[in-house]
Amino acid sequence: MAGEWRLVASTDDIEEEDVIGVDVAGTAVAVYNVKGKFYATENICTHAFAFLSEGVVIDDIIECPVHQGRFHIPTGKPKGAPVSVALDTYATKVENGKIYVRLDESRAPDS
Amino acid sequence: MEAVAVDDLRTRKLTSPEANAKLLAAQREIVSRERLKPFTKRTDRHGLIYFGGHMSIVLGTGYLVYLATGTGWLIPAMLLHGVMLGHLFAPMHECSHGTAFRTRWLNETVHWITGIMILWPPTYFRYDHTGHHTHAQEFGKDPELVLPSPSSWMDYVYYVTATQLWIKNIGWILRHSMGRIRPFNRQFVPEDQLPRIFLEARVMLAIYVGLAAVSVALGTWAVAIYWAIPTVIGVPVARAIRIADHTGCTEGKLDLRTYARTVRTGPLTRFLCWNMPYHCEHHLAPSVPFHALPALHAEVGHEMNPVDKGYWAVQRDVLRHHLERKFRFRIVQSL
Ligand code: FES
């Protein structure tokens, strides 16, 4: 199940430098458009709970809406206080304007 | 003297998932992400203008201190210089949110420079400040709670003179540099990040000891005259201004509309405070950078606490109506 590609959105659904939240088989996933490239990470901030899809995308960084903790979108790496634990990241692919996510996760080292 | 007990600090994790989920939901109830998005755009330009302007003013007032040396104007010049130095809390705070500059290294550099100048460990503040945003106005949980009810005029003097500030900040630097941290402060910092907090305090302490040693070796009073003494005498003005952010507002419950206060003030104060007089809006959406707060206020300000007072009026209200006329002095745990 985890290894399946799942359709999560159309490329038009996510503006450039933006993020949406989707549910993939019960997992909250954030899908980002970073300069036309699409990435996916877990959607819950590792600091103390917040949906990252409510946050702000700045270049390839997602900033948490609650305490402004930052993560590197492509790798999930935490970028300093108050976050120190990496996000799980998921594989994505785009076919015919549709974004697919595969849930087998990978994770960058924590800071 | 009354010490305030705070429950179960060893096990409490202040910025708990529940509390943060409630906070985000409360923010979204007032303003949706779509409506907020245009206000969250980051720039370097505004931060550079504000920081450049603020530091130019500091250099200018420092020059006035130089001109006034040996005259009767020295103390007034030092006071003016100190007021400008004391307001460097504003860029330090903005950088702690990461919203001062779009470029991260600029943000972090200014965060450090201003933190060192006002004796505020910048990384520790970033952790501590998460507690303030999640638990604003909650007694025993908000690490920056200012004059909670009931407070007395003695508490006011303790706060405004910055006695509380120096005890707290110098205490942090000394304690953390020895590898110790109070349970209340520890709850904000993930266990694996404690070494960073301790290292930060050691670096700060080394800078201050180094400055003192160089001053003694060279027989110069420059550090005292241009920085230390002005800061001590000028910071109370910034403290008095900060009282207006929350004191006398709703306490003990998450009410974003009424637990902070936006204050009417002139452009110079707004500039020196990096727009923090728009405090209701800052708590509503801390992702919004300082330069967009006036625009956010125009969008949602009518839904928040009425903006009907300036700093003098708030000060008068706090002194007349909020404070108890008692000889009572509380040591709030949030030191
Ligand atoms: S909940 Fe995301 S930084 Fe605190």
Side-chain angles (χ1 to χ4, degrees):
Chain A
M1 285 290 278
E4 271 173 41
W5 286 106
R6 294 180 180 261
L7 174 66
V8 291
S10 294
T11 50
D12 295 344
D13 295 339
I14 318 173
E15 286 175 28
E16 194 161 313
E17 211 174 50
D18 205 358
V19 53
I20 61 166
V22 295
D23 183 283
V24 181
T27 301
V29 174
V31 186
Y32 310 84
N33 179 346
V34 178
K35 297 194 176 106
K37 278 191 83 175
F38 294 88
Y39 298 93
T41 69
E42 64 179 300
N43 196 9
I44 310 291
C45 178
T46 57
H47 175 231
F49 189 87
F51 285 115
L52 294 170
S53 54
E54 292 284 321
V56 180
V57 178
I58 306 155
D59 298 324
D60 57 0
I61 296 291
I62 175 67
E63 184 190 86
C64 173
V66 172
H67 305 126
Q68 289 72 58
R70 292 175 159 220
F71 301 91
H72 183 233
I73 293 167
T75 60
K77 248 176 135 2
K79 302 296 274 184
V83 294
S84 55
V85 176
L87 293 170
D88 289 335
T89 56
Y90 309 111
T92 57
K93 69 173 180 181
V94 177
E95 276 175 9
N96 301 323
K98 305 281 182 220
I99 308 165
Y100 296 82
V101 169
R102 205 177 55 205
L103 274 194
D104 38 16
E105 65 223 29
S106 70
R107 204 172 138 180
D110 300 338
S111 74
Chain B
M1 192 178 289
E2 180 192 336
V4 177
V6 175
D7 59 32
D8 200 14
L9 285 172
R10 270 161 316 200
T11 53
R12 199 209 281 157
K13 195 176 172 200
L14 269 191
T15 57
S16 63
E18 298 72 31
N20 289 321
K22 260 169 62 186
L23 175 63
L24 191 56
Q27 289 169 342
R28 289 296 174 261
E29 223 174 76
I30 298 173
V31 60
S32 66
R33 180 170 184 269
E34 288 64 41
R35 213 167 139 215
L36 198 60
K37 201 178 154 198
F39 302 100
T40 58
K41 292 281 171 247
R42 305 300 157 79
T43 70
D44 286 335
R45 186 169 55 93
H46 294 89
L48 288 170
I49 292 169
Y50 268 67
F51 188 61
H54 202 144
M55 290 309 275
S56 302
I57 292 173
V58 167
L59 286 175
T61 52
Y63 186 59
L64 288 181
V65 172
Y66 169 76
L67 292 178
T69 303
T71 75
W73 288 99
L74 182 60
I75 297 296
M78 276 183 165
L79 179 60
L80 180 66
H81 184 48
V83 170
M84 303 307 151
L85 284 166
H87 277 90
L88 287 173
F89 173 79
M92 197 280 294
H93 164 261
E94 193 68 28
C95 291
S96 82
H97 282 282
T99 43
F101 300 93
R102 183 179 175 98
T103 304
R104 190 61 170 179
W105 69 262
L106 264 176
N107 193 84
E108 297 310 281
T109 305
V110 172
H111 195 209
W112 259 93
I113 291 171
T114 48
I116 287 166
M117 288 179 80
I118 57 170
L119 266 81
W120 224 302
T123 310
Y124 174 69
F125 176 73
R126 202 171 251 160
Y127 284 114
D128 170 290
H129 200 56
T130 65
H132 171 58
H133 272 269
T134 298
H135 288 286
Q137 293 289 84
E138 279 184 61
F139 186 76
K141 290 187 172 184
D142 176 359
E144 296 173 26
L145 187 53
V146 177
L147 301 173
S149 335
S151 286
S152 72
W153 63 269
M154 289 176 78
D155 300 314
Y156 178 88
V157 171
Y158 182 58
Y159 182 83
V160 169
T161 56
T163 313
Q164 178 258 9
L165 175 75
W166 301 128
I167 292 175
K168 178 186 70 162
N169 289 26
I170 295 170
W172 283 344
I173 293 168
L174 293 177
R175 221 174 292 116
H176 297 178
S177 64
M178 290 185 284
R180 298 211 311 262
I181 186 166
R182 282 196 169 144
F184 184 83
N185 307 121
R186 187 183 197 123
Q187 66 190 314
F188 303 113
V189 186
E191 204 62 26
D192 62 328
Q193 297 302 303
L194 284 171
R196 285 192 186 183
I197 296 304
F198 299 153
L199 177 65
E200 168 178 84
R202 286 171 193 143
V203 170
M204 290 182 82
L205 190 60
I207 291 171
Y208 301 135
V209 170
L211 279 174
V214 169
S215 298
V216 171
L218 299 179
T220 172
W221 286 91
V223 170
I225 289 169
Y226 292 103
W227 176 56
I229 299 170
T231 300
V232 169
I233 63 178
V235 154
V237 173
R239 299 303 275 172
I241 285 177
R242 271 201 87 191
I243 279 182
D245 292 347
H246 295 279
T247 304
C249 297
T250 301
E251 285 181 33
K253 92 175 199 258
L254 173 60
D255 187 340
L256 287 161
R257 290 184 172 87
T258 62
Y259 76 4
R261 179 189 283 117
T262 288
V263 179
R264 248 199 253 224
T265 188
L268 180 64
T269 312
R270 279 203 299 273
F271 176 79
L272 289 172
C273 297
W274 290 53
N275 280 334
M276 273 309 113
Y278 293 103
H279 214 68
C280 258
E281 289 76 11
H282 171 62
H283 272 264
L284 172 66
S287 300
V288 171
F290 68 100
H291 54 84
L293 288 175
L296 182 62
H297 174 72
E299 176 84 9
V300 298
H302 59 280
E303 294 189 40
M304 317 298 278
N305 250 347
V307 185
D308 52 3
K309 291 192 180 82
Y311 282 110
W312 289 111
V314 172
Q315 213 62 221
R316 214 173 36 231
D317 271 8
V318 168
L319 287 167
R320 278 198 194 145
H321 307 303
H322 181 71
L323 300 178
E324 290 184 325
R325 327 236 142 251
K326 281 186 181 163
F327 283 94
R328 193 163 74 130
F329 185 44
R330 293 206 293 184
I331 298 176
V332 175
Q333 175 73 37
S334 57
L335 276 179

